[in-house]
Amino acid sequence: MAASPLKTALSQSAKPIHPVWVRLCHWLNALAAILMVLSGWRIYDASPVFKGFVIPPAITLGGWLGGALQWHFAAMWLLFFNGLIYLGLNLATGRLFRKFFPLSPRAVWRDLRLALIGKLHHDDLSHYNALQKIAYLTVIIDLVVLVLSGLAIWKSVQFPLLRELMGGYDNARIVHFCAMALLVGFFVVHVVMVALVPRSLLTMIRGR
Amino acid sequence: MPVKKRNSFLINPELDRAQILKDATRELALPTRRLFLKGAVTLGGLTMLTGCGLSDNQSVESFLMRVSRLNDRVQGWLFDPNRLAPTYSEAELTRPFPFNAFYGVEDVPEVDAASFVLKVGGLVTGKRSWTLPELYALPHAEQITRHICVEGWSAIGHWGGTPFREFLRQVGADTSAKYVGFKCADDYYESIDMPTALHAQTLLTFQYDGKTLPPEYGFPMKLRMPTKLGYKNPKHIMEIYVTNTFPGGYWSDQGYNWFGGS
Protein backbone atom coordinates (compact mmCIF):
# COMPACT_ATOMS: atom_id res chain seq x y z
CA MET A 1 0.00 0.00 0.00
CA ALA A 2 1.36 3.41 -0.99
CA ALA A 3 1.74 6.06 1.68
CA SER A 4 -1.52 7.94 1.93
CA PRO A 5 -1.50 11.72 1.90
CA LEU A 6 -2.98 11.58 5.41
CA LYS A 7 -0.10 9.47 6.65
CA THR A 8 2.43 11.82 5.08
CA ALA A 9 0.72 14.79 6.70
CA LEU A 10 0.71 12.99 10.04
CA SER A 11 4.36 12.13 9.89
CA GLN A 12 5.12 15.73 9.01
CA SER A 13 3.11 17.11 11.90
CA ALA A 14 4.64 14.50 14.16
CA LYS A 15 8.02 16.02 13.42
CA PRO A 16 7.70 19.57 14.68
CA ILE A 17 10.47 22.15 14.30
CA HIS A 18 10.74 22.31 18.09
CA PRO A 19 9.93 19.04 19.88
CA VAL A 20 7.52 19.37 22.77
CA TRP A 21 10.26 19.08 25.42
CA VAL A 22 12.13 22.03 23.89
CA ARG A 23 8.97 24.15 23.98
CA LEU A 24 8.13 23.14 27.56
CA CYS A 25 11.68 23.77 28.77
CA HIS A 26 11.79 27.09 26.93
CA TRP A 27 8.68 28.50 28.58
CA LEU A 28 9.45 27.12 32.03
CA ASN A 29 12.93 28.61 31.73
CA ALA A 30 11.46 31.94 30.64
CA LEU A 31 9.16 31.95 33.69
CA ALA A 32 11.97 30.98 36.08
CA ALA A 33 14.41 33.49 34.60
CA ILE A 34 11.90 36.35 34.82
CA LEU A 35 11.09 35.50 38.47
CA MET A 36 14.79 35.18 39.29
CA VAL A 37 15.74 38.49 37.64
CA LEU A 38 12.87 40.51 39.13
CA SER A 39 13.40 39.16 42.66
CA GLY A 40 17.17 39.41 42.20
CA TRP A 41 16.82 43.12 41.51
CA ARG A 42 15.11 43.58 44.86
CA ILE A 43 17.86 41.61 46.62
CA TYR A 44 20.47 43.72 44.81
CA ASP A 45 18.79 46.91 46.06
CA ALA A 46 19.25 45.83 49.71
CA SER A 47 22.97 46.46 49.26
CA PRO A 48 23.91 47.66 45.76
CA VAL A 49 27.15 46.23 44.38
CA PHE A 50 27.63 49.40 42.35
CA LYS A 51 27.18 52.35 44.69
CA GLY A 52 24.56 54.75 43.42
CA PHE A 53 23.03 52.28 40.96
CA VAL A 54 19.67 51.13 42.26
CA ILE A 55 16.90 49.27 40.39
CA PRO A 56 13.55 51.09 40.76
CA PRO A 57 11.72 49.04 43.47
CA ALA A 58 8.44 49.32 41.53
CA ILE A 59 9.72 46.97 38.82
CA THR A 60 11.05 44.37 41.28
CA LEU A 61 9.38 41.29 42.76
CA GLY A 62 8.93 40.39 46.42
CA GLY A 63 8.13 43.73 48.01
CA TRP A 64 10.89 43.58 50.60
CA LEU A 65 14.18 41.73 50.94
CA GLY A 66 12.64 38.74 52.76
CA GLY A 67 9.90 38.34 50.15
CA ALA A 68 12.35 38.71 47.27
CA LEU A 69 14.65 36.08 48.80
CA GLN A 70 11.71 33.69 49.10
CA TRP A 71 10.85 34.16 45.41
CA HIS A 72 14.50 33.85 44.39
CA PHE A 73 15.11 30.66 46.36
CA ALA A 74 11.86 29.10 45.14
CA ALA A 75 12.29 29.95 41.45
CA MET A 76 15.87 28.66 41.57
CA TRP A 77 14.60 25.08 41.79
CA LEU A 78 12.56 25.52 38.62
CA LEU A 79 15.50 27.16 36.83
CA PHE A 80 17.95 24.51 38.04
CA PHE A 81 15.98 21.31 37.35
CA ASN A 82 14.44 22.60 34.13
CA GLY A 83 17.93 23.57 32.98
CA LEU A 84 19.29 20.13 33.85
CA ILE A 85 16.50 18.41 31.90
CA TYR A 86 17.02 20.76 28.94
CA LEU A 87 20.78 20.18 28.81
CA GLY A 88 20.39 16.45 29.44
CA LEU A 89 17.88 15.95 26.63
CA ASN A 90 19.88 18.19 24.30
CA LEU A 91 22.93 16.00 24.80
CA ALA A 92 21.06 12.69 24.79
CA THR A 93 19.15 13.40 21.57
CA GLY A 94 22.13 14.98 19.84
CA ARG A 95 20.05 18.12 19.25
CA LEU A 96 22.77 20.34 20.75
CA PHE A 97 25.29 19.41 18.04
CA ARG A 98 22.74 19.17 15.26
CA LYS A 99 21.25 22.61 15.87
CA PHE A 100 24.20 24.66 17.09
CA PHE A 101 27.18 23.21 15.22
CA PRO A 102 29.16 23.70 13.08
CA LEU A 103 29.68 27.28 14.15
CA SER A 104 32.59 29.39 12.91
CA PRO A 105 33.59 32.98 13.73
CA ARG A 106 33.57 33.63 9.98
CA ALA A 107 29.90 32.58 9.72
CA VAL A 108 28.99 34.74 12.73
CA TRP A 109 30.76 37.72 11.16
CA ARG A 110 29.03 37.12 7.79
CA ASP A 111 25.56 36.86 9.35
CA LEU A 112 26.20 39.86 11.58
CA ARG A 113 27.03 41.99 8.52
CA LEU A 114 23.96 40.69 6.69
CA ALA A 115 21.79 41.44 9.73
CA LEU A 116 23.11 44.99 10.05
CA ILE A 117 22.24 45.79 6.43
CA GLY A 118 18.85 44.11 6.85
CA LYS A 119 19.60 41.24 4.50
CA LEU A 120 19.67 38.33 6.98
CA HIS A 121 16.62 36.23 6.24
CA HIS A 122 15.03 33.74 8.58
CA ASP A 123 12.60 31.94 6.28
CA ASP A 124 13.45 28.40 7.33
CA LEU A 125 12.62 28.29 11.04
CA SER A 126 14.00 24.78 11.41
CA HIS A 127 17.49 26.07 10.77
CA TYR A 128 19.40 28.54 12.96
CA ASN A 129 21.65 31.13 11.34
CA ALA A 130 25.08 31.70 12.88
CA LEU A 131 23.90 34.71 14.91
CA GLN A 132 21.12 32.65 16.47
CA LYS A 133 23.53 29.83 17.22
CA ILE A 134 26.01 32.10 18.99
CA ALA A 135 23.24 33.98 20.83
CA TYR A 136 21.51 30.85 22.12
CA LEU A 137 24.78 29.15 23.07
CA THR A 138 25.88 32.31 24.87
CA VAL A 139 22.69 32.53 26.89
CA ILE A 140 22.92 28.83 27.82
CA ILE A 141 26.46 29.35 29.11
CA ASP A 142 25.39 32.60 30.77
CA LEU A 143 22.63 30.76 32.67
CA VAL A 144 25.19 28.19 33.84
CA VAL A 145 27.44 31.05 35.06
CA LEU A 146 24.44 32.62 36.81
CA VAL A 147 23.68 29.38 38.64
CA LEU A 148 27.33 28.78 39.61
CA SER A 149 27.95 32.36 40.80
CA GLY A 150 24.61 32.25 42.64
CA LEU A 151 25.69 29.04 44.38
CA ALA A 152 29.00 30.68 45.31
CA ILE A 153 27.10 33.58 46.93
CA TRP A 154 24.47 31.41 48.64
CA LYS A 155 26.90 28.78 49.92
CA SER A 156 30.30 30.46 49.93
CA VAL A 157 31.49 28.30 52.86
CA GLN A 158 30.13 24.97 51.64
CA PHE A 159 31.46 25.34 48.06
CA PRO A 160 35.05 26.62 48.48
CA LEU A 161 36.11 25.63 44.95
CA LEU A 162 33.25 27.56 43.39
CA ARG A 163 33.97 30.52 45.67
CA GLU A 164 37.62 30.64 44.58
CA LEU A 165 36.63 30.14 40.94
CA MET A 166 34.47 33.26 41.22
CA GLY A 167 37.31 35.22 42.84
CA GLY A 168 35.90 35.18 46.38
CA TYR A 169 32.52 36.00 47.90
CA ASP A 170 32.41 39.71 47.04
CA ASN A 171 33.57 39.10 43.46
CA ALA A 172 30.95 36.37 42.98
CA ARG A 173 28.32 39.10 43.47
CA ILE A 174 29.87 41.11 40.62
CA VAL A 175 29.96 38.03 38.36
CA HIS A 176 26.33 37.27 39.27
CA PHE A 177 25.29 40.84 38.45
CA CYS A 178 27.15 40.98 35.11
CA ALA A 179 25.73 37.61 34.04
CA MET A 180 22.25 38.94 34.93
CA ALA A 181 22.89 42.06 32.80
CA LEU A 182 23.90 39.85 29.86
CA LEU A 183 20.76 37.75 30.30
CA VAL A 184 18.57 40.86 30.33
CA GLY A 185 20.37 42.13 27.22
CA PHE A 186 19.70 38.81 25.48
CA PHE A 187 16.04 38.96 26.57
CA VAL A 188 15.56 42.41 25.00
CA VAL A 189 17.19 41.45 21.68
CA HIS A 190 15.37 38.10 21.68
CA VAL A 191 11.96 39.74 22.11
CA VAL A 192 12.72 42.33 19.40
CA MET A 193 13.73 39.55 17.01
CA VAL A 194 10.56 37.60 17.77
CA ALA A 195 8.57 40.75 17.03
CA LEU A 196 10.35 40.99 13.64
CA VAL A 197 9.65 37.30 12.85
CA PRO A 198 6.33 36.63 14.64
CA ARG A 199 6.12 33.16 13.08
CA SER A 200 8.97 32.08 15.37
CA LEU A 201 6.73 32.72 18.39
CA LEU A 202 4.06 30.40 16.94
CA THR A 203 6.75 27.79 16.31
CA MET A 204 7.82 27.91 19.95
CA ILE A 205 4.17 27.48 21.03
CA ARG A 206 2.74 24.94 18.54
CA GLY A 207 5.99 23.39 17.39
CA ARG A 208 5.41 24.29 13.72
CA MET B 1 3.34 27.24 60.34
CA PRO B 2 -0.16 26.04 59.65
CA VAL B 3 -1.03 25.99 56.00
CA LYS B 4 -4.62 26.69 55.10
CA LYS B 5 -5.70 25.42 51.72
CA ARG B 6 -8.36 27.34 49.89
CA ASN B 7 -9.69 27.08 46.42
CA SER B 8 -10.90 30.47 45.29
CA PHE B 9 -12.92 29.26 42.35
CA LEU B 10 -15.06 26.90 44.37
CA ILE B 11 -16.30 29.74 46.55
CA ASN B 12 -19.54 31.54 45.86
CA PRO B 13 -18.65 35.15 44.88
CA GLU B 14 -21.14 36.58 47.40
CA LEU B 15 -19.74 34.57 50.28
CA ASP B 16 -16.26 35.35 49.09
CA ARG B 17 -16.73 39.06 49.63
CA ALA B 18 -17.63 38.63 53.29
CA GLN B 19 -14.89 36.09 53.74
CA ILE B 20 -12.29 38.35 52.18
CA LEU B 21 -13.18 41.18 54.58
CA LYS B 22 -12.89 38.82 57.53
CA ASP B 23 -9.61 37.42 56.29
CA ALA B 24 -8.21 40.84 55.55
CA THR B 25 -9.02 42.14 59.03
CA ARG B 26 -7.41 39.12 60.64
CA GLU B 27 -4.39 39.11 58.40
CA LEU B 28 -3.69 42.79 58.73
CA ALA B 29 -3.50 42.28 62.49
CA LEU B 30 -0.46 40.05 62.03
CA PRO B 31 2.76 42.03 61.63
CA THR B 32 4.36 39.52 59.27
CA ARG B 33 1.31 39.53 57.02
CA ARG B 34 1.24 43.32 57.07
CA LEU B 35 4.87 43.45 56.07
CA PHE B 36 4.34 40.95 53.30
CA LEU B 37 1.21 42.62 51.94
CA LYS B 38 2.87 46.02 52.08
CA GLY B 39 5.64 44.53 50.04
CA ALA B 40 3.60 42.46 47.64
CA VAL B 41 1.94 45.53 46.18
CA THR B 42 4.13 45.59 43.09
CA LEU B 43 3.11 42.09 42.03
CA GLY B 44 -0.15 41.56 43.83
CA GLY B 45 -1.50 45.10 43.68
CA LEU B 46 -3.34 44.57 40.44
CA THR B 47 -4.98 41.30 41.46
CA MET B 48 -5.83 42.66 44.89
CA LEU B 49 -7.71 45.55 43.28
CA THR B 50 -10.06 43.07 41.67
CA GLY B 51 -11.06 41.83 45.11
CA CYS B 52 -10.28 38.20 44.50
CA GLY B 53 -6.54 38.32 44.81
CA LEU B 54 -6.18 38.15 48.57
CA SER B 55 -6.65 34.40 48.90
CA ASP B 56 -4.36 33.86 45.92
CA ASN B 57 -1.83 36.11 47.55
CA GLN B 58 -2.00 34.13 50.77
CA SER B 59 -1.64 30.82 48.98
CA VAL B 60 1.41 32.19 47.16
CA GLU B 61 2.83 33.32 50.49
CA SER B 62 2.27 29.98 52.18
CA PHE B 63 3.73 28.19 49.17
CA LEU B 64 6.88 30.32 49.37
CA MET B 65 7.10 29.67 53.12
CA ARG B 66 6.88 25.92 52.48
CA VAL B 67 9.67 26.13 49.90
CA SER B 68 11.72 28.06 52.46
CA ARG B 69 11.24 25.21 54.96
CA LEU B 70 12.31 22.78 52.25
CA ASN B 71 15.39 24.96 51.70
CA ASP B 72 16.14 24.66 55.44
CA ARG B 73 16.33 20.88 55.00
CA VAL B 74 18.43 21.15 51.84
CA GLN B 75 20.88 23.43 53.63
CA GLY B 76 21.02 21.09 56.62
CA TRP B 77 21.94 18.36 54.17
CA LEU B 78 24.53 20.55 52.35
CA PHE B 79 26.12 21.62 55.65
CA ASP B 80 29.41 19.83 56.15
CA PRO B 81 30.26 19.84 59.90
CA ASN B 82 33.96 19.54 59.07
CA ARG B 83 34.08 22.30 56.44
CA LEU B 84 35.74 25.43 57.81
CA ALA B 85 34.95 28.97 56.72
CA PRO B 86 37.97 30.85 55.34
CA THR B 87 40.01 32.83 57.87
CA TYR B 88 41.87 36.07 57.24
CA SER B 89 44.80 38.11 58.51
CA GLU B 90 44.73 41.20 60.78
CA ALA B 91 45.56 43.32 57.73
CA GLU B 92 42.35 42.22 55.99
CA LEU B 93 40.04 43.41 58.81
CA THR B 94 37.21 45.73 57.78
CA ARG B 95 37.68 48.95 59.76
CA PRO B 96 35.46 50.14 61.23
CA PHE B 97 33.42 46.96 61.42
CA PRO B 98 29.84 48.05 60.56
CA PHE B 99 27.20 48.29 63.26
CA ASN B 100 24.04 46.48 62.19
CA ALA B 101 20.77 45.78 64.02
CA PHE B 102 17.03 46.16 63.58
CA TYR B 103 17.31 49.50 65.41
CA GLY B 104 19.70 52.47 65.38
CA VAL B 105 22.98 52.58 67.26
CA GLU B 106 21.42 54.98 69.82
CA ASP B 107 19.05 52.19 70.96
CA VAL B 108 21.74 49.63 71.72
CA PRO B 109 20.84 47.97 75.06
CA GLU B 110 23.06 48.65 78.08
CA VAL B 111 23.70 45.47 80.02
CA ASP B 112 25.17 45.85 83.54
CA ALA B 113 28.28 43.67 83.70
CA ALA B 114 28.36 43.31 87.50
CA SER B 115 24.82 42.00 87.90
CA PHE B 116 24.70 40.04 84.63
CA VAL B 117 23.88 36.34 84.83
CA LEU B 118 23.55 34.18 81.73
CA LYS B 119 20.66 31.76 82.09
CA VAL B 120 20.99 28.30 80.58
CA GLY B 121 17.85 26.21 80.20
CA GLY B 122 16.11 23.35 78.46
CA LEU B 123 17.80 20.01 77.87
CA VAL B 124 20.94 20.54 79.96
CA THR B 125 22.09 18.71 83.10
CA GLY B 126 24.78 21.10 84.36
CA LYS B 127 25.21 24.62 85.64
CA ARG B 128 22.27 26.86 84.73
CA SER B 129 23.55 30.33 85.61
CA TRP B 130 26.85 31.88 84.61
CA THR B 131 28.43 35.17 85.65
CA LEU B 132 30.79 36.99 83.29
CA PRO B 133 33.99 36.11 85.20
CA GLU B 134 32.96 32.44 85.05
CA LEU B 135 32.40 32.68 81.29
CA TYR B 136 35.67 34.55 80.75
CA ALA B 137 37.51 31.69 82.51
CA LEU B 138 36.40 29.16 79.84
CA PRO B 139 38.92 27.96 77.19
CA HIS B 140 39.75 30.81 74.82
CA ALA B 141 39.77 30.88 71.00
CA GLU B 142 40.11 33.65 68.41
CA GLN B 143 38.94 33.94 64.82
CA ILE B 144 39.15 36.40 61.95
CA THR B 145 36.29 35.53 59.63
CA ARG B 146 33.93 37.06 57.11
CA HIS B 147 30.53 38.20 58.33
CA ILE B 148 28.09 37.91 55.41
CA CYS B 149 24.88 39.89 55.70
CA VAL B 150 21.63 38.66 54.13
CA GLU B 151 21.61 42.01 52.28
CA GLY B 152 24.71 40.95 50.39
CA TRP B 153 27.51 43.05 51.92
CA SER B 154 30.26 41.40 53.89
CA ALA B 155 32.87 42.51 56.44
CA ILE B 156 35.85 40.80 58.04
CA GLY B 157 35.96 40.89 61.83
CA HIS B 158 38.09 39.60 64.69
CA TRP B 159 36.25 37.81 67.50
CA GLY B 160 37.45 36.15 70.70
CA GLY B 161 35.62 33.85 73.11
CA THR B 162 35.02 30.22 73.87
CA PRO B 163 34.15 27.49 71.33
CA PHE B 164 30.40 27.02 71.68
CA ARG B 165 30.63 23.22 71.61
CA GLU B 166 32.98 23.47 74.59
CA PHE B 167 30.39 25.58 76.41
CA LEU B 168 27.62 23.10 75.52
CA ARG B 169 29.78 20.31 76.95
CA GLN B 170 30.36 22.33 80.15
CA VAL B 171 26.61 22.82 80.70
CA GLY B 172 25.86 19.17 79.99
CA ALA B 173 23.71 19.93 76.95
CA ASP B 174 21.85 17.10 75.23
CA THR B 175 23.65 17.40 71.90
CA SER B 176 21.23 14.95 70.31
CA ALA B 177 18.54 17.66 70.61
CA LYS B 178 17.58 19.54 67.44
CA TYR B 179 17.92 23.22 68.36
CA VAL B 180 19.71 25.75 70.51
CA GLY B 181 17.69 28.89 71.21
CA PHE B 182 18.77 32.38 72.31
CA LYS B 183 16.98 35.24 74.04
CA CYS B 184 18.60 38.64 73.88
CA ALA B 185 18.54 41.91 75.85
CA ASP B 186 17.20 43.79 72.80
CA ASP B 187 14.18 41.44 72.49
CA TYR B 188 15.87 39.70 69.60
CA TYR B 189 15.50 35.94 69.60
CA GLU B 190 17.15 33.34 67.42
CA SER B 191 17.70 29.61 67.14
CA ILE B 192 20.14 27.35 65.32
CA ASP B 193 20.47 23.70 64.35
CA MET B 194 22.60 21.45 66.59
CA PRO B 195 25.19 20.55 63.88
CA THR B 196 26.01 24.27 63.47
CA ALA B 197 26.08 24.72 67.27
CA LEU B 198 28.75 22.00 67.41
CA HIS B 199 30.80 23.37 64.47
CA ALA B 200 34.45 24.08 65.31
CA GLN B 201 34.16 27.78 64.34
CA THR B 202 30.95 28.49 66.26
CA LEU B 203 32.22 30.81 68.96
CA LEU B 204 30.54 32.31 72.03
CA THR B 205 32.33 35.65 71.83
CA PHE B 206 33.14 38.07 74.64
CA GLN B 207 35.74 40.10 72.76
CA TYR B 208 36.06 42.08 69.58
CA ASP B 209 39.55 42.80 68.20
CA GLY B 210 41.21 41.87 71.51
CA LYS B 211 38.98 44.08 73.70
CA THR B 212 35.80 43.41 75.68
CA LEU B 213 32.90 43.19 73.21
CA PRO B 214 31.55 46.77 72.98
CA PRO B 215 27.77 47.34 73.34
CA GLU B 216 27.31 48.02 69.61
CA TYR B 217 28.78 44.60 68.76
CA GLY B 218 26.67 42.77 71.34
CA PHE B 219 27.95 43.11 74.95
CA PRO B 220 27.98 40.95 77.00
CA MET B 221 28.20 38.23 74.35
CA LYS B 222 27.43 37.36 70.75
CA LEU B 223 27.28 33.95 69.13
CA ARG B 224 29.57 34.12 66.11
CA MET B 225 29.00 31.61 63.29
CA PRO B 226 30.99 32.16 60.09
CA THR B 227 28.90 29.36 58.54
CA LYS B 228 25.72 31.43 58.84
CA LEU B 229 24.42 34.80 57.65
CA GLY B 230 24.66 37.80 59.99
CA TYR B 231 21.06 37.79 61.28
CA LYS B 232 21.59 34.24 62.62
CA ASN B 233 24.35 35.56 64.97
CA PRO B 234 22.51 36.79 68.11
CA LYS B 235 23.98 39.65 70.19
CA HIS B 236 23.34 40.69 73.82
CA ILE B 237 22.56 37.06 74.72
CA MET B 238 20.77 36.75 78.10
CA GLU B 239 19.53 33.18 77.88
CA ILE B 240 20.54 30.02 76.03
CA TYR B 241 18.33 26.92 75.89
CA VAL B 242 18.47 23.50 74.27
CA THR B 243 15.22 22.17 72.84
CA ASN B 244 13.52 19.87 70.37
CA THR B 245 10.69 22.36 69.79
CA PHE B 246 11.34 24.68 66.83
CA PRO B 247 11.92 28.12 68.39
CA GLY B 248 11.99 30.26 65.20
CA GLY B 249 13.77 33.60 65.14
CA TYR B 250 13.11 37.34 65.01
CA TRP B 251 13.73 37.61 61.26
CA SER B 252 12.89 34.09 60.14
CA ASP B 253 9.40 34.46 61.65
CA GLN B 254 8.96 37.40 59.25
CA GLY B 255 10.13 35.55 56.16
CA TYR B 256 13.91 35.25 56.17
CA ASN B 257 15.08 31.69 55.71
CA TRP B 258 15.50 29.99 59.10
CA PHE B 259 18.65 27.96 58.37
CA GLY B 260 20.41 31.01 56.90
CA GLY B 261 23.55 29.03 56.13
CA SER B 262 26.54 30.21 54.13
Side-chain angles (χ1 to χ4, degrees), chain A residues 63-64 73 77 155 158 169-170, chain B residues 39 71 75 80 152 154 254 261:
Chain A
W64 68 297
F73 289 104
W77 293 115
K155 289 278 155 269
Q158 303 306 323
Y169 170 80
D170 286 333
Chain B
N71 288 341
Q75 290 176 90
D80 178 349
S154 76
Q254 296 179 58

Side-chain angles (χ1 to χ4, degrees), chain A residues 43 46-47 57-58 60-66 69-71 73-74 77 154-160 163 169-170 173, chain B residues 39 42-43 60 64-65 67 71 74-75 78-80 83 85-86 146 148 150-154 226 254-256 261-262:
Chain A
I43 299 167
S47 177
T60 65
L61 173 66
W64 68 297
L65 176 58
L69 286 163
Q70 284 190 349
W71 277 105
F73 289 104
W77 293 115
W154 186 42
K155 289 278 155 269
S156 76
V157 174
Q158 303 306 323
F159 299 133
R163 180 186 71 229
Y169 170 80
D170 286 333
R173 295 182 68 210
Chain B
T42 45
L43 178 85
V60 168
L64 291 175
M65 265 298 194
V67 177
N71 288 341
V74 172
Q75 290 176 90
L78 279 176
F79 178 79
D80 178 349
R83 173 97 62 210
R146 185 184 294 274
I148 296 176
V150 66
E151 294 174 338
W153 57 267
S154 76
Q254 296 179 58
Y256 281 3
S262 188

Side-chain angles (χ1 to χ4, degrees), chain A residues 156-157 163-164, chain B residues 84-88 144-146 201 226:
Chain A
S156 76
V157 174
R163 180 186 71 229
E164 296 314 313
Chain B
L84 295 182
T87 53
Y88 302 87
I144 300 179
T145 49
R146 185 184 294 274
Q201 287 172 311

Side-chain angles (χ1 to χ4, degrees), chain A residues 62 64 70, chain B residues 1-4 6 23-41 48 54-55 57-63 65 252-255:
Chain A
W64 68 297
Q70 284 190 349
Chain B
M1 87 178 259
V3 173
K4 214 166 126 198
R6 266 180 284 167
D23 279 0
T25 321
R26 183 178 55 80
E27 292 186 4
L28 285 172
L30 294 164
T32 56
R33 296 280 186 279
R34 204 160 57 222
L35 206 68
F36 187 88
L37 289 178
K38 193 173 92 189
V41 164
M48 279 168 69
L54 200 57
S55 58
N57 201 347
Q58 210 225 323
S59 56
V60 168
E61 186 194 354
S62 67
F63 170 75
M65 265 298 194
S252 52
D253 288 353
Q254 296 179 58

